[in-house]
Amino acid sequence: MTSNTEKLRAVFLTALMIGSVFAAGVAFTGSAAADSSTITPSDGLQSTYDGFSTSDGTADTITLTDGTYSSINVDGTDALTIEAADGATPVIETPDNDAEDYAISINAAADVTVDGVEITPANAETGDSGNAEDAGIWAPNASSLTVTDSTFDSVDFGIQMRASSGDLDVSSTTFSNIEDEGVVYNSYSGSPSNAVSVTGSTFDTVGTDGILLLEDSTSIASITATITGNDFSDIGDFAYVAADGFATASSRTTGTSVLPYSQWTAFNNGPEDADREFRNATQTGQNGLNESLVYSGQIVNVSLLGQDVTPGDEIVLRKVTSSGSTPAQTLTVSEELYLQFDTSNLETSNYFLSGNGLSRANTEFEVVEQSISTTLSTDTVDNAGSTTSDYSVASDLRNNYQVTVTVPGLTKSEITSVFPVSSATENDNGNYYVTLSNPETTKTLDFSGVSAGNYTLTTDVTDSTASATSNITVNDVGNANANFVSSPVNVDRGDIATINVSMTATTTADVTIGQSSAGYQQNFTVVDGNGDGYVAVEINTYTAGRQAYADGAAFSAVASDDEVRYVDSRFDLQRPLAGGTSYRTSVKANSSSNVQNIGRLVVDSTAGITGQNIWTAPSGTSLNSVIADAELSQDTSIASGDYAVHEITAPGIFGLLQNASTANDTQAFVNASTFNELSLSVDQTEQSTRANFDPKSLNYSKALSDDNATVVTDAANDTVYIVSDLAQVNVNENQRSLRFGEDAFNASLTLNSSANLTKKDSTASAIFSTAKRTGSFDQNEYTIGAADNQTISGTTTVAQGTSLTVRAASTSSPGDGFILSDTQVNVSSDGTWTAEIDFADASVNATFELTLDDSSGNELASTTGSIVEAGETPTTTEAPDTTEAPDTTEAPQTTEAPDTTEAPQTTEAPETTESMDTTTEDDGGSSGGDIPGFTTGIALVAILGAALLALRE
């Protein structure tokens, strides 16, 4: 049985529970509670707001932690604060779509505060197409909007708010990389008396205006605008500006001053007749005066909006000098807070504004003189047919400017017909001019129907002193005529023919070569670009009419200013234009309907490569200048260090060389060899090849590619020159090296039949030998009188024209030692040389050494001598001939056999400069200088045999 105590306890607890529930119900029904939430991006900004009671009369707060949040539409009337959590920097993105995108859109009459957030576009892209815009905050209906400590980055607009909604307060906020305006306050409708405050904020890189007060339909009777403590940098148009609809607003607050409307508005109300407008005196950039260029002749307006000035203040324009500055003009601040000055009388120099906080440090600019140039693609046109010329203007300093072009002598209808414009203006002199907005864009002028004559086009920049003129001649097509300068024109098949066309009263002519009955016809137009009345055209008979090659490659103008246009081929040839054939040619002025002259192009059959000669040239000239500058001598013996020159007569190959389309003859020759049209071989002769060894081959192809050999063509004389430095030409791989003095070569150039110019291969060959680079003196020992102009002579293997130095240096002397020389010793065609040295100051009985050096300082020979009294008959000892190896093919002559009791007399073996090589081992690849089958050793045996035979007899 339950006790009374337990029953009382149960009743008490039940009553307490019921009372608690009732109290809670009373509490909830007494008043509504404010909504507040701290969220993360996953909670969703819009979702959180939609979960609030947003129109119950209580203020709501959403606190954002770090992260990126999607946009929010505020459609309730409760006050709303969107703020960053302590230490957080949350990001709210505009929607990623093609509609108008707003990070925060306020569509109801709510008081909204945004604190500490960053707003960016989700697609990180401004300037959407159509009407789609990325805006930070759009507030068409907000009761008020407060934005503080926030950032707007890379959106089209930072904040847009309608003035009919309420007050706008922006502070300590950054607007960067804004496409259009930073803050827009739009009256839209009605006449509200609201306040706009933008303070302590930063506007950095804004496309148009930092702050814009904009009127849509009705004026605002009274509005207070407080714009203070802001930092404007790189603003496209204005730091802050009011549109015309705000004209009735009585005052604007900027800093601590209250300014009338006329001083707060900007730019559009500045002084008239200016060529150049600077919307900020101290700003650097597109619309700022500081660090800008001003062009001589311009009238300049400078806005002083935001500067410490009032209307009527005087500001001095000062010119920078080497010692400081000097006054140039005194300017007065206008009612609109503008300065205006004319640069027409200012010298080119640096200038700045001085006074009321303006100084060289923040307003320096440079006055420069603009110059322009004008060009016409042709300065002679016809008034029918070929009537156009391309006109362009260029300026080194400017890209955007306007010009006027005056052409005295043209009527108003003619000048508007010539230029692509619709109107012309008459100047004070009665001449008409047209205005061109983008003069640096090429414009095609058409002189159709213009009276024949000479015209001057004067081009003037509209806002500076820059000017230029061009002249053009308009021909009357009634007098136009075209002729061939000479006919017939003969050319070898495969070569380049030149046809010269003369023109009168026209700059263009139509030419036809061939006709249907010949199986070949080509038409083209020539243009006289330099106005000399002639166009010379080169025709490549190797490629003409062959569609495997571009038509333009076969026809070209000789003069760079002339042109060949509209090449048209009626046939597709499979091989070069046939030789042994005469082709009809005709020409007429482009404007004429009838042929005015007929001629002939005679293509002769080609014999191909018909001859080759070997020449040599001295070292000391650059490889590429040998043919033009060096002294050439026809010589088949090439000394080490000298150039070998192959002179090849080759009519018919110059078209295929031109077709190689390269910058130089050498590469064209290499390409023709690669295409197997030409073949070049340089192989060792059988006579100079040593027994049991293969002949060597010089790799000219590699030498040409490595710039150790070069090709020069002379098409006018059917000649090709190949120049090589043999010392730099390698033999083919795995072969022995070249031995100067021993090796000889056969050089052959072949025009292959595969080039379709000849039925069979045509080849020209030439043999040349090599020689060591040596020399000798005519005397083995010189005895020279102590006198002027003492002659010393000798021979050498080096090329004719080589410059040598003969030097005498004392080895012992009773008096002063000496070094005497003749540095202007030239080698003659027979290899001899003669020097003259003054020994007048040399001491008698002195001895000396003579040396012979080439221009590179290489010693070619040496000998000795001594000094005797002038007039004393010197004794001479002839030096042996050391420039050639002795002829050992015949046994030496002997005297008749004497009495056997005495040794027979024999002639002495000739001395040589080198010991005889009796080895059979290959020393570095020599093929040997001995005659095969009859060596130096055999010659010695023959001499000994002859002596023994004499003794025996």
Side-chain angles (χ1 to χ4, degrees):
M1 184 173 182
T2 305
S3 68
N4 290 332
T5 300
E6 291 174 343
K7 290 178 180 180
L8 289 173
R9 183 182 296 124
V11 171
F12 174 77
L13 291 173
T14 300
L16 180 62
M17 182 182 299
I18 294 171
S20 297
V21 172
F22 177 78
V26 171
F28 276 104
T29 57
S31 63
D35 291 320
S36 177
S37 181
T38 299
I39 66 171
T40 65
S42 61
D43 297 321
L45 180 57
Q46 186 70 55
S47 298
T48 300
Y49 177 74
D50 290 343
F52 291 170
S53 296
T54 59
S55 297
D56 60 5
T58 61
D60 301 324
T61 300
I62 302 177
T63 303
L64 309 180
T65 59
D66 277 327
T68 301
Y69 296 81
S70 297
S71 60
I72 179 174
N73 291 316
V74 179
D75 51 15
T77 58
D78 287 350
L80 173 64
T81 297
I82 302 174
E83 63 181 8
D86 290 342
T89 308
V91 176
I92 304 176
E93 289 185 335
T94 63
D96 186 6
N97 56 50
D98 292 330
E100 290 187 328
D101 304 332
Y102 310 110
I104 300 174
S105 181
I106 306 170
N107 302 309
D111 295 315
V112 177
T113 299
V114 178
D115 182 13
V117 304
E118 179 177 347
I119 295 177
T120 63
N123 52 18
E125 180 179 320
T126 60
D128 292 334
S129 61
N131 293 322
E133 296 171 335
D134 292 318
I137 300 177
W138 166 231
N141 298 304
S143 295
S144 67
L145 174 61
T146 301
V147 180
T148 184
D149 290 321
S150 294
T151 299
F152 295 80
D153 186 19
S154 301
V155 291
D156 287 285
F157 298 91
I159 299 170
Q160 291 190 77
M161 184 175 181
R162 289 179 179 169
S164 57
S165 300
D167 296 342
L168 172 64
D169 186 359
V170 180
S171 64
S172 303
T173 292
T174 298
F175 300 85
S176 62
N177 302 307
I178 306 300
E179 184 78 8
D180 294 312
E181 289 89 0
V183 176
V184 180
Y185 195 67
N186 191 334
S187 71
Y188 194 68
S189 63
S191 301
S193 300
N194 299 326
V196 178
S197 175
V198 183
T199 61
S201 294
T202 299
F203 295 81
D204 182 10
T205 312
V206 178
T208 55
D209 306 313
I211 305 165
L212 171 64
L213 300 187
L214 180 65
E215 178 270 337
D216 275 359
S217 60
T218 58
S219 299
I220 296 179
S222 176
I223 187 171
T224 301
T226 302
I227 313 295
T228 183
N230 301 295
D231 182 14
F232 298 94
S233 175
D234 195 12
I235 306 299
D237 289 338
F238 312 111
Y240 39 95
V241 59
D244 291 341
F246 285 82
T248 59
S250 59
S251 65
R252 309 286 179 264
T253 301
T254 173
T256 58
S257 301
V258 177
L259 304 177
Y261 165 77
S262 61
Q263 295 179 33
W264 198 85
T265 192
F267 192 58
N268 292 335
N269 287 335
E272 298 180 355
D273 300 326
D275 299 314
R276 190 79 177 274
E277 301 274 1
F278 291 103
R279 304 175 184 183
N280 190 302
T282 58
Q283 179 178 313
T284 300
Q286 179 181 358
N287 294 298
L289 177 66
N290 193 33
E291 298 183 11
S292 67
L293 290 180
V294 175
Y295 302 101
S296 181
Q298 289 183 325
I299 296 175
V300 178
N301 281 352
V302 181
S303 171
L304 300 184
L305 182 67
Q307 304 300 323
D308 186 17
V309 295
T310 58
D313 287 350
E314 289 189 347
I315 302 296
V316 179
L317 177 66
R318 301 187 67 87
K319 175 186 173 183
V320 176
T321 65
S322 58
S323 59
S325 66
T326 185
Q329 295 180 14
T330 298
L331 311 174
T332 301
V333 179
S334 72
E335 284 294 322
E336 298 85 5
L337 296 187
Y338 264 82
L339 291 177
Q340 184 178 90
F341 56 90
D342 189 345
T343 64
S344 299
N345 297 319
L346 296 180
E347 297 178 348
T348 56
S349 181
N350 281 28
Y351 294 82
F352 63 92
L353 301 177
S354 177
N356 295 53
L358 304 175
S359 66
R360 182 176 180 181
N362 57 19
T363 64
E364 184 173 359
F365 63 96
E366 183 179 4
V367 175
V368 297
E369 185 173 358
Q370 181 188 7
S371 63
I372 60 171
S373 62
T374 56
T375 58
L376 291 167
S377 60
T378 177
D379 58 7
T380 304
V381 296
D382 300 332
N383 55 11
S386 180
T387 62
T388 62
S389 179
D390 290 337
Y391 162 87
S392 61
V393 183
S395 174
D396 292 336
L397 288 177
R398 299 179 72 182
N399 295 320
N400 299 314
Y401 53 95
Q402 288 187 337
V403 299
T404 61
V405 186
T406 307
V407 188
L410 290 185
T411 65
K412 183 175 184 179
S413 62
E414 284 178 332
I415 195 171
T416 54
S417 174
V418 168
F419 286 86
V421 295
S422 59
S423 63
T425 305
E426 187 177 9
N427 64 19
D428 294 339
N429 296 322
N431 298 315
Y432 288 95
Y433 65 87
V434 296
T435 302
L436 305 179
S437 297
N438 297 304
E440 296 200 1
T441 301
T442 300
K443 295 169 176 58
T444 299
L445 311 186
D446 190 343
F447 290 85
S448 298
V450 172
S451 301
N454 299 317
Y455 295 92
T456 298
L457 284 66
T458 301
T459 304
D460 298 299
V461 177
T462 57
D463 66 351
S464 76
T465 58
S467 181
T469 60
S470 297
N471 297 303
I472 193 166
T473 299
V474 179
N475 295 316
D476 188 345
V477 296
N479 300 321
N481 191 56
N483 289 283
F484 293 118
V485 174
S486 61
S487 181
V489 174
N490 289 75
V491 64
D492 289 310
R493 185 189 190 199
D495 275 348
I496 311 297
T498 301
I499 292 180
N500 203 341
V501 177
S502 68
M503 286 169 277
T504 304
T506 184
T507 58
T508 57
D510 300 326
V511 180
T512 298
I513 300 177
Q515 54 196 41
S516 298
S517 60
Y520 167 73
Q521 181 177 335
Q522 281 191 291
N523 306 314
F524 56 91
T525 298
V526 296
V527 180
D528 177 17
N530 55 24
D532 64 356
Y534 296 90
V535 177
V537 180
E538 289 186 341
I539 303 171
N540 187 335
T541 63
Y542 184 73
T543 60
R546 303 171 70 181
Q547 292 185 12
Y549 306 96
D551 284 333
F555 299 85
S556 59
V558 174
S560 60
D561 293 334
D562 294 339
E563 291 182 70
V564 177
R565 299 177 179 171
Y566 317 126
V567 178
D568 172 53
S569 179
R570 298 295 179 87
F571 297 89
D572 180 14
L573 304 183
Q574 301 304 309
R575 54 186 58 84
L577 198 59
T581 306
S582 175
Y583 298 90
R584 180 182 185 272
T585 59
S586 64
V587 64
K588 68 179 184 67
N590 180 257
S591 57
S592 175
S593 57
N594 299 316
V595 170
Q596 295 174 318
N597 193 226
I598 294 175
R600 288 283 170 180
L601 173 64
V602 179
V603 180
D604 300 318
S605 298
T606 183
I609 298 178
T610 59
Q612 181 179 177
N613 295 313
I614 302 296
W615 299 67
T616 188
S619 61
T621 303
S622 67
L623 178 69
N624 293 323
S625 302
V626 168
I627 298 302
D629 301 331
E631 181 177 344
L632 301 182
S633 58
Q634 195 163 354
D635 192 344
T636 58
S637 178
I638 312 300
S640 174
D642 287 341
Y643 293 109
V645 181
H646 305 260
E647 179 194 38
I648 301 163
T649 304
I653 75 166
F654 296 95
L656 67 86
L657 289 179
Q658 187 188 73
N659 180 57
S661 300
T662 58
N664 57 67
D665 294 337
T666 300
Q667 190 58 50
F669 186 91
V670 170
N671 288 357
S673 300
T674 302
F675 298 149
N676 201 34
E677 296 165 330
L678 296 174
S679 299
L680 174 64
S681 62
V682 184
D683 300 322
Q684 189 176 6
T685 62
E686 181 180 355
Q687 291 81 358
S688 70
T689 302
R690 292 183 61 183
N692 299 319
F693 288 95
D694 293 329
K696 305 169 186 174
S697 295
L698 297 184
N699 194 339
Y700 263 54
S701 295
K702 188 174 189 306
L704 289 167
S705 298
D706 293 347
D707 295 328
N708 291 322
T710 191
V711 173
V712 178
T713 61
D714 180 7
N717 295 301
D718 292 332
T719 303
V720 174
Y721 296 95
I722 304 175
V723 184
S724 69
D725 179 358
L726 293 180
Q728 302 298 321
V729 179
N730 297 325
V731 297
N732 283 335
E733 191 175 356
N734 299 324
Q735 292 186 341
R736 293 156 293 122
S737 60
L738 189 155
R739 291 288 295 235
F740 284 90
E742 299 177 1
D743 295 348
F745 294 90
N746 183 9
S748 298
L749 180 64
T750 299
L751 172 62
N752 296 317
S753 60
S754 59
N756 292 315
L757 290 171
T758 57
K759 292 183 179 180
K760 297 180 180 180
D761 294 349
S762 62
T763 302
S765 302
I767 294 176
F768 65 90
S769 60
T770 62
K772 293 182 178 180
R773 195 171 186 82
T774 61
S776 66
F777 290 89
D778 285 344
Q779 297 181 29
N780 191 42
E781 179 79 20
Y782 279 85
T783 303
I784 294 179
D788 292 336
N789 301 325
Q790 298 299 297
T791 300
I792 299 170
S793 59
T795 59
T796 181
T797 61
V798 300
Q800 174 185 336
T802 300
S803 180
L804 304 177
T805 296
V806 176
R807 183 175 289 105
S810 59
T811 54
S812 66
S813 176
D816 293 335
F818 57 84
I819 298 177
L820 307 171
S821 62
D822 184 350
T823 61
Q824 301 295 324
V825 181
N826 289 320
V827 179
S828 301
S829 59
D830 59 357
T832 62
W833 55 267
T834 301
E836 288 189 350
I837 298 180
D838 295 337
F839 285 92
D841 295 331
S843 300
V844 175
N845 296 325
T847 61
F848 58 88
E849 180 185 32
L850 284 171
T851 57
L852 176 68
D853 298 335
D854 66 11
S855 58
S856 298
N858 300 313
E859 184 177 306
L860 305 181
S862 65
T863 189
T864 58
S866 59
I867 304 297
V868 298
E869 292 286 353
E872 181 177 335
T873 302
T875 59
T876 62
T877 302
E878 293 189 0
D881 185 0
T882 61
T883 61
E884 298 284 344
D887 186 357
T888 60
T889 59
E890 294 183 8
Q893 294 181 350
T894 64
T895 59
E896 292 186 4
D899 190 300
T900 58
T901 61
E902 295 182 16
Q905 292 182 346
T906 64
T907 59
E908 293 182 2
E911 296 182 6
T912 63
T913 60
E914 295 183 354
S915 61
M916 296 183 180
D917 185 3
T918 60
T919 64
T920 59
E921 183 179 352
D922 181 19
D923 56 349
S926 170
S927 58
D930 297 323
I931 298 174
F934 194 79
T935 64
T936 305
I938 294 176
L940 290 173
V941 172
I943 294 171
L944 292 174
L948 291 173
L949 180 61
L951 290 173
R952 178 180 174 183
E953 294 177 353

